[in-house]
């Protein structure tokens, strides 16, 4: 019989599933050991057939815990999924970049820049396709033609949030939820454990103390994975979670190169075509957001010249405007 049907039966978790599939006759073993599941068998067989047909139509692979192709990082989870739905292909080394949905402008810019650096260095950027930091992580990787994976808290045919559907079409996707399953609050911690299982390291960019990103970091630590965090202002509630991780031993990431060095990844050299003035301005932007007037004063340049340099750096993807007239590294 189809192993997926067994996986879809109520009360048959990963341990029982593997035990049944290890038997010479899984159906007979099911009847003998779990007779309470038999009334649901016909429905499970129909659902399994429908899931496979839907997956074929969408170009999705259903990978079972019983298969060699099942992601190795998910097999080691205390409670692995019985099967996952994958659109695209998984790659390594995978680095998760996570944070709050309600991110500060500086954190959004930093997340995108960090994702670009990771992707340029050959990392597979993993995140949750949520608003805020997750979105910037995926966009940053795609901007440099990198690969990125979105792990969903909904089915692959129910992209959440819906405004991220165009983004989802450009990247790899993974979910443990059957087709037609919409997003629910209780699904996101389950999603977070998959992110931790798939990645060799988790980087938290900005997260308050109640952020789901800290759940991902907790799972990563329990699995023996590396956890890194980007520090923020001590008075900023949005950074309290990331700061606490650093206090508890997470490696601090002050610039993208910190993460690359710690994880043994080699980034691309900076654009050699920058003029000395562009280089000086770019280095100033790396220190944080600033008004053009402040940048002009710090560099000892006329404001008009700095504004012109900012335009040139924007065109090169090295500068980015933020609310309030401030600029930061792109």
């Amino acid at each position: 019989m189809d192993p997926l049907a067994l996986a879809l039966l109520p009360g048959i978790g990963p341990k029982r599933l593997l035990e049944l599939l290890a038997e010479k006759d899984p159906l007979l073993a099911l009847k003998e050991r779990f007779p309470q599941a038999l009334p649901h068998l016909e429905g499970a067989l129909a659902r399994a057939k429908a899931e496979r047909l839907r997956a074929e139509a969408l170009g999705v692979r259903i990978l079972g815990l019983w298969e060699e192709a099942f992601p190795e990082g998910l097999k080691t989870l205390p409670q692995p999924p019985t099967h996952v739905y994958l659109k695209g292909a998984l790659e390594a080394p995978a680095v998760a970049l996570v944070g709050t949905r309600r991110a500060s402008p500086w954190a959004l810019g930093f997340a995108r820049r960090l994702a670009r650096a990771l992707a340029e260095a050959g990392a597979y950027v993993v995140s949750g396709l949520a608003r805020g930091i997750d979105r910037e992580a995926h966009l940053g990787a795609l901007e440099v033609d990198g690969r990125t994976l979105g792990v969903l808290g909904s089915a692959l045919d129910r992209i959440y949030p819906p405004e991220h559907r165009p983004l989802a079409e450009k990247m790899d996707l993974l979910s443990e939820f059957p087709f037609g399953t919409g997003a629910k609050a209780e699904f996101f911690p389950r999603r977070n454990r998959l992110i931790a299982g798939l990645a060799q390291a988790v980087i938290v960019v900005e997260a308050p103390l109640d952020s789901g990103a800290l759940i991902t970091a907790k799972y990563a630590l329990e699995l023996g994975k590396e956890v890194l965090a980007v520090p923020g202002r001590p008075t900023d509630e949005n950074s309290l979670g990331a700061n606490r991780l650093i206090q508890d031993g997470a490696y601090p990431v002050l610039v993208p190169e910190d993460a690359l060095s710690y994880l043994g990844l080699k980034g691309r050299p900076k654009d050699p075509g920058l003029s000395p003035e562009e280089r000086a301005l770019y280095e100033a932007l790396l220190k944080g957001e600033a008004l053009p007037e402040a940048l002009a004063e710090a560099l000892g340049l006329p404001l008009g010249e700095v504004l012109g340099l900012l335009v040139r750096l924007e065109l090169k993807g090295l500068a980015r405007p933020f609310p309030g007239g401030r600029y930061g590294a792109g």
Side-chain angles (χ1 to χ4, degrees):
M1 65 177 298
D2 188 348
L4 182 59
L6 290 177
L8 292 171
L9 284 171
I12 304 298
K15 183 177 179 181
R16 288 179 175 179
L17 175 64
L18 292 180
E19 289 174 354
L20 288 171
L21 293 175
E23 298 290 338
K24 185 176 181 180
D25 189 338
L27 181 57
L28 178 61
L30 178 72
K31 292 177 179 178
E32 293 177 346
R33 297 166 62 180
F34 307 107
Q36 69 276 13
L38 291 179
H40 305 282
L41 183 57
E42 185 176 347
L45 287 166
R47 284 180 60 202
K49 183 178 180 180
E51 289 291 285
R52 292 199 183 280
L53 288 174
R54 180 70 170 150
E56 184 177 358
L58 295 176
V60 171
R61 297 166 63 198
I62 300 177
L63 302 177
L65 184 57
W66 57 90
E67 295 178 287
E68 187 176 347
F70 191 82
E72 194 65 35
L74 300 186
K75 290 180 182 178
T76 60
L77 293 173
Q79 187 70 15
T82 56
H83 59 288
V84 294
Y85 301 77
L86 174 65
K87 188 170 186 178
L90 302 179
E91 295 189 4
V95 178
L97 205 165
V98 296
T100 179
R101 290 173 172 81
R102 297 178 292 276
S104 307
W106 74 263
L108 294 173
F110 191 94
R112 189 180 292 207
R113 186 157 53 93
L114 177 55
R116 283 207 302 261
L118 289 167
E120 286 179 330
Y124 187 48
V125 178
V126 179
S127 199
L129 198 66
R131 300 179 179 100
I133 297 300
D134 289 16
R135 177 178 181 273
E136 298 301 311
H138 297 308
L139 287 172
L142 291 172
E143 282 177 351
V144 292
D145 297 323
R147 294 289 299 277
T148 182
L149 172 72
V151 184
L152 307 186
S154 62
L156 295 192
D157 61 347
R158 295 288 297 275
I159 300 297
Y160 181 85
E163 67 266 24
H164 287 180
R165 286 172 188 157
L167 173 59
E169 293 175 358
K170 303 174 184 177
M171 48 192 282
D172 300 329
L173 300 171
L174 183 139
S175 173
E176 67 176 310
F177 299 105
F179 292 117
T181 305
K184 293 183 179 180
E186 59 265 31
F187 290 168
F188 291 104
R190 292 173 58 180
R191 181 274 311 270
N192 293 343
R193 89 188 194 288
L194 299 187
I195 293 176
L198 290 166
Q200 75 170 46
V202 171
I203 305 176
V204 178
V205 174
E206 183 183 43
L209 290 172
D210 61 351
S211 173
L214 298 191
I215 297 176
T216 308
K218 178 177 178 292
Y219 282 130
L221 289 170
E222 291 173 351
L223 293 168
K225 308 290 184 75
E226 299 286 355
V227 173
L228 302 81
V230 178
R233 292 179 298 188
T235 56
D236 188 344
E237 289 190 9
N238 248 17
S239 291
L240 292 181
N243 289 346
R244 179 61 56 84
L245 285 174
I246 293 171
Q247 190 177 45
D248 292 341
Y251 187 79
V253 177
L254 305 184
V255 293
E257 289 74 19
D258 290 339
L260 300 183
S261 175
Y262 186 77
L263 298 175
L265 300 170
K266 188 174 182 181
R268 293 181 186 173
K270 294 290 189 305
D271 181 4
L274 293 180
S275 69
E277 294 79 13
E278 289 173 330
R279 168 73 60 198
L281 179 55
Y282 180 64
E283 295 296 336
L285 293 175
L286 287 174
K287 298 176 182 178
E289 300 166 36
L291 290 168
E293 293 82 357
L295 293 168
E297 183 177 352
L299 298 174
L301 296 173
L303 177 59
E305 184 176 349
V306 168
L307 291 172
L309 291 170
L310 285 170
V311 171
R312 281 150 58 181
L313 289 180
E314 272 194 82
L315 292 174
K316 295 181 179 182
L318 299 176
R320 183 183 178 192
F322 290 96
R326 294 177 175 271
Y327 280 81

